[in-house]
Amino acid sequence: MQRRYTSLAAAGIATVLTLTLSGCGVGQGDRVTLKLVAADYGDGTGPGSRQYWDQLTRAFEKKNPGIKVDVDVYSWKDVDKKVADLVRKDQAPDLAQIGAYVDYAADGQLYSADELLSIPVQADLQPALAEPGEVDRVQYGIPFAASTRRLFYNKKLFAEAGITDAPKTWDDIAEDAELLKKHGVKTPYALPLGPEETQAETLNWLLSGGGGYTDEIGKYAIDSPANVKTFTWLRDELVGKGLTGGDPAGLNRAEAFAGFADGDVGMLNGHPALIKQAEAKGIDYGTADLPGVHGPAASTLGVSDWMMAFKRNGHRAQAGKFLDFVYNDSNVLTFSRDFGLLPVTSTAAQKMAGDHRFGHLQDFVGPLRDAHFYPANKTSWPDVARSVKSQMGEAVGPKGDPSSILADLQNTADAADTAGS
């Protein structure tokens, strides 16, 4: 199955930055101000992304006195809308670090990456992350932050239930969940199919079952036999047997992560941000490749957030110089360390993999090579993702019909794809 790629907004994950750069119309030789809008990746317990950008821009301006960078940081729930509002008002920032780029690229509003980045910097972007930023083979979305997914499991709860190894197959998950349930674990397997990030949990399971959102040529294949089989198994073998601690349609990712950090969840699919959350609560945990039908899954979900530069203010050269600075290894690794995310450049990833100070975060770097991403280079994807969020939880309920729901989603995807073509 051909890999499809997408932007990370997240997932999952849990934190985001927003930067808005808008330049003044200045004469040659005058100081240029770049406006950047960025998402805040902070967890609410510290200064968040604002501190990162303040330190980075001060260092950049010291080296480049002719360029000032003005950064606005917004929460993930607000940042994409903020940029969209600015663009609608013809006040596009010079730079935006948000969750999706494709609509702006399709409208011809963005500089391409090769118009911005120096050759060494662009070549250093990890291919698995850079390719999803392409529209018609031209890169407009520049990966900024990345994550993959692994299975997290509570070692203490496993030991108390007599489980010695991490699960490698779906049958292992079901058997281990039964043992955890017998030993009083509140949520043996957390399956967050609530509206927050259903599209991520869904893709984790589709991939582990040999399916996905798209086929080998990039067409939507949501109702494929493999996908129907996957969600039928979830309904019958996990949810139907009471091994998920409640209705997955009512469980969001943030709640599932909090339950794991509180010691109430035996296992779940998680991204790197869960590391800090679990360690802060003293949870003795392990991570493993996502289990598949007959063994570890061949690939996992990858998520990327995007940096992009708008043409409106004409500050291509200044924006490019700033981005070259943003993507040097020191800044990339500082951001990764501070927010529990993965480096988007190859050299920074190599340095992380050999540095024990990054701990369990290193385990998430390797899977990026074979990760599958959302089909975010499709203008139809936002509509499809909204439908997945609102419907997939029903598929595993007591009266759930995975075949019917996946067929409905396929029809939605086909219609959205046709409308966007």
Side-chain angles (χ1 to χ4, degrees):
M1 176 177 169
Q2 179 181 342
R3 291 186 302 184
R4 301 297 302 169
Y5 301 94
T6 177
S7 63
L8 175 90
I13 276 301
T15 50
V16 175
L17 310 161
T18 304
L19 305 166
T20 306
L21 302 168
S22 95
C24 314
V26 293
Q28 189 169 0
D30 290 334
R31 194 178 196 196
V32 167
T33 296
L34 297 175
K35 287 294 291 181
L36 167 62
V37 174
D40 187 2
Y41 289 86
D43 60 7
T45 62
S49 299
R50 164 57 62 189
Q51 178 172 288
Y52 172 80
W53 287 111
D54 284 349
Q55 293 173 346
L56 185 146
T57 54
R58 281 199 300 270
F60 173 77
E61 290 169 359
K62 185 175 181 180
K63 291 185 176 182
N64 299 273
I67 306 172
K68 183 180 186 305
V69 183
D70 183 9
V71 179
D72 290 330
V73 177
Y74 296 88
S75 71
W76 266 116
K77 67 185 177 81
D78 297 325
V79 66
D80 287 278
K81 183 178 184 301
K82 178 63 178 179
V83 172
D85 288 344
L86 289 169
V87 171
R88 187 168 53 251
K89 296 174 183 176
D90 194 26
Q91 298 173 359
D94 295 290
L95 298 163
Q97 186 276 298
I98 53 178
Y101 72 89
V102 69
D103 284 343
Y104 303 121
D107 289 343
Q109 299 183 67
L110 303 180
Y111 289 115
S112 64
D114 56 7
E115 291 177 300
L116 296 162
L117 303 176
S118 64
I119 292 174
V121 171
Q122 187 174 10
D124 196 32
L125 295 172
Q126 294 199 59
L129 296 170
E131 289 173 24
E134 295 179 0
V135 175
D136 295 331
R137 299 188 178 184
V138 177
Q139 184 183 357
Y140 297 96
I142 305 170
F144 179 76
S147 72
T148 53
R149 300 296 191 270
R150 286 174 63 80
L151 180 81
F152 282 71
Y153 60 98
N154 185 311
K155 290 184 176 180
K156 179 174 181 288
L157 296 180
F158 267 48
E160 291 173 350
I163 306 169
T164 57
D165 298 308
K168 295 180 175 61
T169 68
W170 287 1
D171 287 344
D172 291 343
I173 287 179
E175 292 171 10
D176 292 349
E178 286 279 11
L179 290 171
L180 290 166
K181 182 180 179 181
K182 288 178 181 177
H183 281 76
V185 175
K186 183 178 179 181
T187 305
Y189 189 96
L191 184 67
L193 293 176
E196 180 186 5
E197 204 184 31
T198 308
Q199 80 282 5
E201 186 69 15
T202 295
L203 186 51
N204 281 325
W205 281 97
L206 298 184
L207 292 171
S208 71
Y213 286 126
T214 56
D215 63 16
E216 295 178 353
I217 61 172
K219 290 182 66 66
Y220 283 112
I222 297 173
D223 62 348
S224 70
N227 291 347
V228 172
K229 182 178 179 180
T230 294
F231 267 78
T232 300
W233 186 90
L234 283 172
R235 180 195 64 188
D236 296 344
E237 302 301 324
L238 282 188
V239 182
K241 293 182 178 180
L243 302 177
T244 57
D247 180 10
L251 181 66
N252 284 319
R253 177 186 51 79
E255 298 167 62
F257 278 20
F260 187 82
D262 288 338
D264 294 328
V265 172
M267 50 186 159
L268 79 169
N269 295 328
H271 58 62
L274 183 53
I275 293 173
K276 182 178 179 182
Q277 198 170 345
E279 291 178 350
K281 293 288 190 76
I283 297 297
D284 184 15
Y285 69 92
T287 72
D289 293 336
L290 299 186
V293 179
H294 302 297
S299 63
T300 184
L301 164 66
V303 179
S304 178
D305 297 324
W306 303 100
M307 179 72 78
M308 63 208 72
F310 286 87
K311 296 177 178 178
R312 178 188 177 277
N313 300 313
H315 294 154
R316 181 190 62 79
Q318 295 87 350
K321 181 172 286 191
F322 177 65
L323 291 177
D324 274 357
F325 186 78
V326 167
Y327 284 93
N328 72 46
D329 283 352
S330 176
N331 290 328
V332 170
L333 286 170
T334 295
F335 181 82
S336 298
R337 181 199 63 214
D338 289 352
F339 299 104
L341 293 165
L342 304 181
V344 297
T345 63
S346 297
T347 52
Q350 291 166 5
K351 290 177 181 178
M352 174 181 281
D355 191 337
H356 67 87
R357 292 175 299 175
F358 288 96
H360 283 289
L361 191 59
Q362 299 173 87
D363 299 335
F364 290 80
V365 176
L368 269 178
R369 290 189 297 269
D370 299 307
H372 281 65
F373 293 74
Y374 306 128
N377 53 0
K378 288 177 170 286
T379 56
S380 57
W381 171 243
D383 287 340
V384 175
R386 281 191 289 271
S387 296
V388 170
K389 288 182 179 184
S390 66
Q391 296 182 53
M392 282 312 300
E394 301 174 18
V396 297
K399 298 180 180 179
D401 183 351
S403 179
S404 176
I405 288 176
L406 289 169
D408 286 346
L409 290 170
Q410 180 69 40
N411 291 334
T412 298
D414 288 341
D417 220 17
T418 300
S421 61

